[in-house]
Amino acid sequence: QQPVQSPQAVILREGEDAVINCSSSKALYSVHWYRQKHGEAPVFLMILLKGGEQKGHEKISASFNEKKQQSSLYLTASQLSYSGTYFCGTEIQGAQKLVFGQGTRLTINP
Amino acid sequence: EAQVTQNPRYLITVTGKKLTVTCSQNMNHEYMSWYRQDPGLGLRQIYYSMNVEVTDKGDVPEGYKVSRKEKRNFPLILESPSPNQTSLYFCASSLFGDQDEQFFGPGTRLTVL
């Protein structure tokens, strides 16, 4: 069951904030976030386990809401280097398998 | 340097001509997998391997084969490629499984005419 990411694309100016959402129709055990810069391989950002844990990575943080079966990725004071496509991967409880969303393209302009 | 390598990086071929994309990792990871990336569809898993001689189908295995004879290598084989297999392919590895942090190779862009 592929998770749904929103928005599909977002364009920001440098210094603005962004939120990317990842929703599942099934109960989740974990959510993974990856970033892929244009022409490159996806790179791991963080894993969130069930329990509403919030994690941070530089000015990028994420939350995981079990009840809503969703995760949100927060990019604060975005930098040009944050441009790329962000993927969430979700592990459904009991499935032991990661399924990626369709991706959210983030463009940061000067 | 810890890395996942893939070859070739770019390949243009014709329908029906067998091809192999190689993948190698130097991190002694147990788990390796193959994904294809298509616009609007994200990353979809083709096959994965939990260890040597242990492989299993992912979400889109039709038309592909894999083997895991050595821990470090996990080649992807297209025995009779078709145009709908035109895609960007990524190999990935992790210590224990796809629930772990995965390290991706640089990608192979395949075009089947």
Side-chain angles (χ1 to χ4, degrees), chain B residues 6-11 21 87-90 106-110:
Chain B
Q6 293 179 228
N7 282 293
R9 295 288 314 277
Y10 303 90
L11 179 60
V21 184
S87 187
L88 178 59
Y89 291 87
F90 287 102
T108 295
R109 186 165 291 282
L110 172 66

Side-chain angles (χ1 to χ4, degrees), chain A residues 10-16 78-80 83 106-110:
Chain A
V10 59
I11 301 174
L12 299 174
R13 285 190 178 273
E14 198 173 7
E16 293 181 335
S78 56
Q79 305 168 13
L80 295 175
S83 289
L106 175 65
T107 303
I108 310 293
N109 291 322

